[in-house]
Amino acid sequence: MAESPSRTRRSIAPILLLLVVTAAAFSEARSFDFVAWDDDVNLYQNERFIRGTPDIAYFWRTPFFGMYIPVTYTVWGLLAAVAKQAPAAPGMPALNPSIFHLANLGLHLLNVLLVFAILRRLLDKEWAAAAGALLFGVHPIQVEAVAWSTGMKDVLGGFFSLLALWGYLSYAAEKRARPRGWKYAAATLAYALALLSKPSSAAMPVVAWVLDCFLLRRSWRQATGALAPWAILAVPAAIATKLAQDPDASVGFITPLWARPLVAGDALAFYLGKLALPVGLIPDYSRSPASILKSGQVYYTWLVPAALAGIAWTCRRRWPWLPVSLAVFVAGLLPVLGFTRFVFQELSTVADRYVYLSMLGPALALASLAVTCDLRWVRAGIGGILAVLAGLTLFQSLHWYGTQPLFEHTLTVNPRSTIAHNNLGALHYMRGDYARAATHYQASLEVLPNDAPVHDNLAMALLLQGKQEEAVRHWEEALRIDPGWARAHFNYGAYLASTGRMDEAREHWREAVRCDPEFVPARRALEQAGDVP
């Protein structure tokens, strides 16, 4: 049914509040730079974006950078066409980062409004829904997804997922015997676009099922029948994601099946802690499955979410929204809790961006609390908490201003972050400070000694300091660890060529092309050496 004019007017004030407060919390992001962590590969060094007209069709034909997310790359390609600029200096981005940051913020604002619409439909209370939506919008744990250009995959996947959920709930809530089929079709299309934006959107049927059964109170048969096609749609997305993962990218540890529920429980405990006390937020917590199993913490941290689940179940009659909110939170995280293996999880079982869509659960809990405890002091407390969170988000976002402040902050919180050391090493290398670059690479190798790309990077930094013998040792180690690392073959070949050992150099360049047929530098080196690959 269409909304009445009076209800539409009542929504204007909370909508304006949501837009103004959320935009203010992320107001600094518009001036942020790219960060040299996936932004380079995905955006400002992506040849398919910066050379001529963006080649968007390529991303529909094949996975890129270990993921098949063609809708996200389509949006990035369109933004790249608008964002092209003359580089300020050689090696500087040829894309304007402000365009991408503004697009991220715009999508996040739309998501906040969608959460408001979903909560209003479920609870039928304007200001309570606004409180929940504002928690979704300004909680500091959302900063990574919103302030990071590459985080658009989470925000865009969240947009289509929330749009699908809103459409589905509109369909399921209709009282007529046969709800309008076009609503269901539109919601299903949005869900398909969500899967093509971020594969972890596959969790949305579970979220919709929980809300359908326990808040709309339809039978589980009705909900299951309606959502079965969504579950079927998720299967090819899961297969495409699995096939897109580089089997050689593993750092060597595969979590045993018996330990995966414990790892998932540990991750949930971590996220619940960050929801309650959102400080020390960084892009790399280095909570690898191997490290947390070795420490033994997984054997007791799972008790935190288990205890909360027990409390929620015990209180289900008085506060029926509590177990539902917890279920929505957990359901949104299911694809990234470690039950199935994926590459980044081997470095860290947790990441702030994984929580983006799952924040619908805490948003529902806060909105329901505002409805259940409709007291002035409760409303004042909720308002105060949201104001503090908005201020923390503004402060947290400043760490994402650029590569150096982000990863220096990361090292203050987590000195063992290999991601931080590697990115700071690359930054100092680009600036010509090869000694500092080598220091960061060596620190990274102390944590992960079998990281072939870092051995290659360290070899280059040592070579440019005149330490040829040390450099050769690290190239040999890189190729021992990963004989298929094309860049190490190319760099080692370039060094051999500089010493007059052209036959050996050509052999490494040929191997680089064999390992990666699209590795252009090796092809050019062979052509210049008179050996066309």
Side-chain angles (χ1 to χ4, degrees), residues 311-494:
I311 293 169
W313 182 253
T314 303
C315 300
R316 68 188 184 281
R317 296 190 183 279
R318 182 177 182 184
W319 297 327
W321 48 266
L322 186 56
V324 175
S325 300
L326 182 60
V328 168
F329 179 70
V330 175
L333 286 165
L334 280 175
V336 291
L337 285 178
F339 292 109
T340 58
R341 175 178 170 268
F342 55 96
V343 172
F344 183 80
Q345 205 232 11
E346 295 176 7
L347 299 176
S348 183
T349 61
V350 294
D352 294 352
R353 61 188 179 277
Y354 293 164
V355 189
Y356 185 80
L357 189 57
S358 285
M359 279 299 296
L360 178 63
L364 174 61
L366 185 66
S368 300
L369 177 64
V371 172
T372 305
C373 303
D374 190 17
L375 300 173
R376 182 175 298 177
W377 68 268
V378 173
R379 294 198 299 269
I382 290 173
I385 290 171
L386 291 172
V388 170
L389 291 174
L392 289 174
T393 288
L394 179 60
F395 177 77
Q396 174 66 23
S397 70
L398 296 177
H399 295 305
W400 287 84
Y401 180 81
T403 300
Q404 187 163 347
L406 175 63
F407 290 113
E408 286 181 347
H409 166 66
T410 301
L411 289 179
T412 62
V413 178
N414 175 22
R416 290 175 59 82
S417 170
T418 58
I419 290 175
H421 280 301
N422 291 336
N423 281 282
L424 288 172
L427 183 68
H428 292 306
Y429 181 91
M430 289 177 60
R431 293 174 176 173
D433 192 344
Y434 306 119
R436 291 184 69 185
T439 299
H440 281 291
Y441 292 140
Q442 286 164 341
S444 177
L445 290 173
E446 289 176 6
V447 180
L448 286 177
N450 289 329
D451 195 326
V454 180
H455 279 286
D456 178 35
N457 292 338
L458 177 56
M460 289 298 297
L462 292 169
L463 179 68
L464 292 169
Q465 295 178 71
K467 301 176 181 180
Q468 291 91 340
E469 292 183 4
E470 291 182 56
V472 168
R473 283 200 299 271
H474 283 284
W475 271 316
E476 290 175 347
E477 182 66 8
L479 295 174
R480 183 194 66 79
I481 296 167
D482 184 2
W485 185 244
R487 185 167 293 278
H489 280 293
F490 169 73
N491 288 334
Y492 191 22

Side-chain angles (χ1 to χ4, degrees), residues 151-385:
M152 179 178 283
K153 62 182 182 293
D154 301 276
V155 182
L156 186 63
F159 169 72
F160 285 118
S161 294
L162 292 169
L163 187 62
L165 181 60
W166 177 65
Y168 176 82
L169 294 176
S170 299
Y171 158 82
E174 286 194 348
K175 301 302 182 183
R176 61 180 67 198
R178 299 184 64 182
R180 292 185 178 93
W182 67 266
K183 288 186 176 181
Y184 180 82
T188 303
L189 175 61
Y191 175 62
L193 293 172
L195 290 172
L196 295 172
S197 302
K198 181 70 186 282
S200 60
S201 301
M204 191 45 58
V206 183
V207 173
W209 189 90
V210 169
L211 295 176
D212 195 354
C213 291
F214 295 100
L215 289 187
L216 297 185
R217 299 194 178 281
R218 294 206 308 165
S219 72
W220 69 268
R221 292 181 182 274
Q222 285 178 297
T224 303
L227 290 165
W230 285 24
I232 293 171
L233 271 179
V235 173
I239 293 172
T241 300
K242 186 68 175 177
L243 293 175
Q245 293 285 310
D246 181 1
D248 297 324
S250 170
V251 295
F253 181 82
I254 298 177
T255 309
L257 291 176
W258 64 265
R260 295 185 186 188
L262 296 176
V263 170
D266 178 80
L268 286 172
F270 177 88
Y271 290 133
L272 291 169
K274 291 300 181 184
L275 285 176
L277 189 63
V279 296
L281 300 173
I282 52 176
D284 174 30
Y285 296 102
S286 298
R287 292 171 64 90
S288 68
S291 66
I292 60 176
L293 285 170
K294 184 178 180 180
S295 71
Q297 65 192 54
V298 295
Y299 298 107
Y300 56 84
T301 49
W302 65 271
L303 292 171
V304 175
L308 183 57
I311 293 169
W313 182 253
T314 303
C315 300
R316 68 188 184 281
R317 296 190 183 279
R318 182 177 182 184
W319 297 327
W321 48 266
L322 186 56
V324 175
S325 300
L326 182 60
V328 168
F329 179 70
V330 175
L333 286 165
L334 280 175
V336 291
L337 285 178
F339 292 109
T340 58
R341 175 178 170 268
F342 55 96
V343 172
F344 183 80
Q345 205 232 11
E346 295 176 7
L347 299 176
S348 183
T349 61
V350 294
D352 294 352
R353 61 188 179 277
Y354 293 164
V355 189
Y356 185 80
L357 189 57
S358 285
M359 279 299 296
L360 178 63
L364 174 61
L366 185 66
S368 300
L369 177 64
V371 172
T372 305
C373 303
D374 190 17
L375 300 173
R376 182 175 298 177
W377 68 268
V378 173
R379 294 198 299 269
I382 290 173
I385 290 171

Side-chain angles (χ1 to χ4, degrees), residues 29-104:
R30 69 187 187 280
S31 62
F32 289 177
D33 202 350
F34 292 118
V35 296
W37 180 45
D38 291 1
D39 283 356
D40 48 357
V41 179
N42 282 319
L43 301 172
Y44 66 87
Q45 290 181 2
N46 190 331
E47 295 286 334
R48 299 188 184 277
F49 287 159
I50 63 177
R51 301 288 184 189
T53 303
D55 184 6
I56 293 173
Y58 172 83
F59 301 101
W60 287 88
R61 295 192 300 267
T62 184
F64 182 80
F65 201 36
M67 298 189 76
Y68 185 69
I69 48 174
V71 170
T72 298
Y73 280 106
T74 296
V75 174
W76 277 335
L78 295 174
L79 292 173
V82 177
K84 285 190 177 179
Q85 64 181 12
M92 296 295 289
L95 299 176
N96 182 352
S98 296
I99 301 296
F100 294 88
H101 288 301
L102 288 172
N104 256 22

